[in-house]
């Protein structure tokens, strides 16, 4: 017993490493009184050792233990280690790879931030939470070679300033187990342009100090996979491409600062309504893919130029794209369920938008005012010049393209089986119309006031021509009427010369 106690009073060796006891069951790695520096290239700290037939848990690495180990290139630190002393790996001039293994206990770096001073670390696996006295004391601050960081499944928080001023870091992925990101965590990383916040149900919270957000870096490509909470936006105005994942239920006001570039936004399919609270006001969004239903005025008064509406979107609210004066292209993807334009003044949905090209991939649902006027979302869109009707469309609603004077040619495919009254009423620029639709009647006022329509061939199977269907089509020179037509309503061709 005397010999064992005497041995444990001083550093003892197990394998290539030296240890000192901290308690009856724990030890820390030490330098061996400076006489036996570690000279290997790779280092794996054991989580447990056996000495004199007794087991010990390795819980610490003493200050300066591996200082100036010039051959050391990689180190693996187990989850049993909960404390690393000051300057532990300082001066290891070839140390490029550090692995902090997965664990649920915080790893504390003692003293100042020099645990890895002068170490050219390139890759880091962060498997657990780390702690230190202040945001200035992160052992990874200013690592100008650090280009790859992997955050493990047991990390729940990213500490204040932990990767501050890592100037070659280009991208980072925050997994859904992380609950918070500290202030200045990734600030001062001038090449950090890609950020992925993985899909998850729990809210991710961000710290903040005046004028310095968690990502005070020029993030350009952002995947947002869950809800955020913050005192002020964690992002700068550099975000150019944004994808919003299916787990996100709300984009709070102020998420994106005024004048953020945001040239491309993709909202992926998801359950429920995505609440957007003036999040894109005064941003420079250009392109939008809308994969699910969102709140009413989400993109009103933006510089958006093209929009694609996915087939899972059930409804678009009143004034949704109002005052989007640069909106020129709209694609409504093919789908079997109607797209509803809500409220009673649907013509305001695209108010003052200048849509030129429209792909209509499914039926639309919108309200009617009194017994005649329809609140079509495309009513009086005089810039609309190119219309394509997809193979899933079976109905063209009442007055859907009323007053679209920029249309010059249309083709109605055979999958259309119902056309509402006045569908193309007032389209005075229309010169050519091809009707392949399987309809029983040309509806009333369908082409009323289409003064430049030159010829029309009514398809076989049509049995009637409705009231004022071609009224005031003064340029109509040729009409082909099949034998199937058995009635022509009053004023169907009135004022046609």
């Amino acid at each position: 017993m005397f010999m064992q106690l005497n041995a444990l009073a001083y550093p003892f060796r197990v394998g290539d490493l030296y240890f000192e006891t901290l308690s009856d069951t724990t030890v820390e790695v030490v330098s061996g009184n400076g006489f036996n520096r570690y000279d290997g290239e790779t280092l794996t700290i054991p989580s447990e050792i056996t000495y004199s037939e007794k087991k010990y848990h390795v819980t610490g690495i003493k200050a300066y233990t591996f200082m100036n180990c010039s051959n050391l290139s990689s180190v693996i630190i187990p989850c049993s280690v909960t404390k690393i002393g000051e300057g532990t790996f300082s001066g290891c001039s070839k140390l490029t790879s550090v692995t902090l293994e997965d664990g649920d206990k915080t790893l504390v770096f003692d003293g100042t931030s020099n645990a890895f001073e002068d170490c050219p670390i390139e890759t880091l696996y962060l498997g657990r939470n780390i702690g230190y006295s202040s945001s200035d004391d992160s052992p990874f601050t200013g690592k100008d070679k650090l280009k790859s960081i992997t955050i493990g499944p047991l990390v729940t928080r990213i500490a204040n300033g932990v990767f501050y001023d890592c100037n070659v870091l280009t991208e980072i992925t925050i997994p859904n187990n992380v609950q918070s990101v500290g202030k200045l965590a990734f600030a001062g990383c001038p090449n950090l342009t890609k950020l992925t916040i993985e899909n998850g149900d729990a809210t991710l919270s961000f710290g903040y100090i005046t004028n310095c957000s968690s990502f005070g870096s020029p993030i350009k490509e952002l995947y947002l996979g869950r809800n955020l909470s913050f005192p002020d936006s964690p992002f700068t105005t550099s975000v150019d491409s944004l994808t919003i994942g299916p787990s996100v239920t709300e984009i709070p006001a102020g998420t994106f600062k005024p004048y953020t570039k945001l040239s491309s936004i993709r909202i992926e399919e998801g359950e429920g309504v995505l609440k957007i609270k003036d999040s894109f006001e005064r941003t420079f969004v250009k392109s939008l893919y809308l994969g699910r239903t969102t709140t009413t005025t989400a993109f009103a008064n933006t510089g958006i130029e093209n929009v694609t509406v996915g087939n899972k979107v059930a409804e678009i609210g009143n004034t949704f794209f109002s005052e989007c004066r640069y909106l020129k292209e709209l694609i409504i993807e093919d789908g079997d369920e109607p797209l509803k334009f809500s409220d009673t003044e649907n013509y305001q949905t695209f108010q003052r938008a200048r849509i030129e090209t429209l792909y209509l991939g499914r039926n639309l649902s919108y309200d009617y005012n009194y017994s005649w006027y329809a609140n079509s979302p495309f009513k009086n869109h005089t810039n609309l010049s190119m219309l394509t009707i997809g193979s899933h469309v079976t109905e063209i609603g009442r007055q859907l393209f009323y007053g679209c004077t920029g249309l010059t040619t249309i083709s109605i495919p055979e999958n259309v089986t119902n056309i509402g009254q006045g569908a193309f009423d007032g389209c005075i620029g229309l010169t050519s119309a091809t009707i392949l639709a399987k309809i029983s009647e040309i509806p009333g006022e369908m082409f009323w006031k289409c003064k430049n329509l030159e010829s029309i061939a009514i398809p076989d199977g049509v049995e009637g021509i409705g009231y004022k269907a071609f009224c005031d089509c003064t340029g109509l020179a040729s009409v082909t009427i099949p034998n199937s037509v058995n009635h022509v309503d009053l004023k169907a061709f009135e004022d046609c010369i």
Side-chain angles (χ1 to χ4, degrees), residues 117-144:
E117 187 174 20
D118 297 325
C119 298
I121 299 171
E122 296 179 2
T123 62
L124 169 67
Y125 180 86
L126 183 64
R128 52 186 168 138
N129 297 338
I130 62 174
Y132 36 86
S133 58
S134 76
S135 60
D136 293 329
D137 288 335
S138 167
F140 305 110
T141 291
K143 291 301 171 191
D144 59 5

Side-chain angles (χ1 to χ4, degrees), residues 325 327-328 347 350-358 376-387 399-409 425-430:
R325 299 176 185 234
L327 178 55
K328 295 182 178 180
Y347 61 89
F350 299 102
Q351 188 177 31
R352 294 190 177 87
R354 298 173 181 176
I355 299 171
E356 296 176 359
T357 303
L358 170 64
S376 162
F378 304 114
K379 189 174 183 179
N380 292 321
H381 274 261
T382 58
N383 291 91
L384 182 61
S385 59
M386 183 176 294
L387 169 65
Q399 290 189 323
L400 181 56
F401 299 106
Y402 178 96
C404 293
T405 58
L407 284 174
T408 58
T409 179
D425 183 358
C427 296
I428 59 175
L430 194 62

